[in-house]
Amino acid sequence: GAGVSQSPSNKVTEKGKDVELRCDPISGHTALYWYRQSLGQGLEFLIYFQGNSAPDKSGLPSDRFSAERTGGSVSTLTIQRTQQEDSAVYLCATKPGHHTGELFFGEGSRLTVL
Amino acid sequence: EDQVTQSPEALRLQEGESSSLNCSYTVSGLRGLFWYRQDPGKGPEFLFTLYSAGEEKEKERLKATLTKKESFLHITAPKPEDSATYLCAVQAGPGGGADGLTFGKGTHLIIQP
């Protein structure tokens, strides 16, 4: 498809387990964001990738969270030793470059930590 | 620190009852202001970009306006399908965290038939 694709759409895990969330961006989009959205809350910035530059990790809430982007395309957000407070929808968004703020969002991955 | 405040947090209108949503911002060097619509269980969908004070954009029943301190999203004669959460974002610069993008918490709009 032509849009941003995220998987899995839903993930239920037990406290303490590690999870990986995947984002396939729109082809040619050099910028990629991860956001977290808790129930009824706004978007919480996590991490930003732009081309080959070092990622902006300033939004990651703890060292249990990490993300990588391979070959400037697919990105994976990893949460280690999950906690119940990690339960949220994780949204990926991409854009063509840094000269615009128009983001294209995926449908999100809903994470539930039991 | 860049700040974006949206009001009201929630708004319930009758079908056909026009109103406005507000997005106030405090940033250094506005590069753009963006409106998004988010339906339940979906990612936000881009609506408008505004770059300078006095600029207006329209799409169907929605019109976005911009001043030096705030933006309004005017909804004229809304229909139930306009029910959604409307998010405002600003991009300030140069650069900065998240490439200067800051989102507001959104206004949850409900249009009753």
Side-chain angles (χ1 to χ4, degrees), chain B:
Chain B
E1 181 179 335
D2 299 337
Q3 291 191 333
V4 180
T5 303
Q6 292 189 246
S7 62
E9 291 185 7
L11 181 61
R12 188 182 298 265
L13 300 172
Q14 292 296 122
E15 183 173 2
E17 180 184 1
S18 301
S19 188
S20 297
L21 312 182
N22 178 264
C23 172
S24 298
Y25 61 91
T26 305
V27 299
S28 299
L30 180 71
R31 293 159 59 190
L33 184 142
F34 311 89
W35 283 97
Y36 289 82
R37 169 189 171 130
Q38 186 174 23
D39 292 300
K42 304 287 187 182
E45 178 184 359
F46 170 77
L47 291 173
F48 301 112
T49 304
L50 301 167
Y51 291 107
S52 57
E55 190 174 358
E56 299 183 351
K57 293 277 180 70
E58 285 191 66
K59 180 179 180 179
E60 296 180 356
R61 294 175 292 282
L62 300 177
K63 183 169 79 173
T65 62
L66 181 65
T67 73
K68 289 186 178 181
K69 295 183 178 180
E70 58 193 349
S71 176
F72 291 94
L73 184 64
H74 307 278
I75 302 177
T76 302
K79 299 181 178 182
E81 53 262 41
D82 294 322
S83 298
T85 296
Y86 291 85
L87 297 168
C88 170
V90 297
Q91 187 176 30
D99 193 27
L101 267 177
T102 303
F103 276 85
K105 295 188 182 298
T107 293
H108 182 50
L109 177 65
I110 298 173
I111 308 299
Q112 295 180 310

Side-chain angles (χ1 to χ4, degrees), chain A:
Chain A
V4 177
S5 178
Q6 291 189 245
S7 60
S9 55
N10 280 286
K11 176 73 175 178
V12 180
T13 190
E14 294 180 346
K15 178 181 172 181
K17 300 285 189 182
D18 297 351
V19 297
E20 285 189 352
L21 307 176
R22 177 186 169 105
C23 174
D24 283 272
I26 294 172
S27 177
H29 280 198
T30 59
L32 185 148
Y33 293 78
W34 283 98
Y35 287 92
R36 179 168 69 176
Q37 189 173 39
S38 301
L39 187 62
Q41 300 298 308
L43 297 177
E44 178 187 2
F45 166 71
L46 297 177
I47 189 168
Y48 166 61
F49 296 89
Q50 171 56 54
N52 295 320
S53 302
D56 174 2
K57 304 180 181 180
S58 61
L60 294 177
S62 77
D63 59 9
R64 296 187 296 105
F65 289 73
S66 63
E68 63 177 23
R69 190 176 185 193
T70 54
S73 182
V74 171
S75 178
T76 302
L77 177 68
T78 301
I79 308 173
Q80 295 178 311
R81 305 181 301 281
T82 52
Q83 304 294 312
Q84 289 185 331
E85 59 263 30
D86 299 333
S87 296
V89 175
Y90 291 82
L91 289 162
C92 175
T94 70
K95 59 180 178 140
H98 61 269
H99 298 297
T100 175
E102 179 184 339
L103 299 181
F104 296 80
F105 283 85
E107 300 275 271
S109 292
R110 180 176 297 278
L111 175 65
T112 302
V113 182
L114 302 177

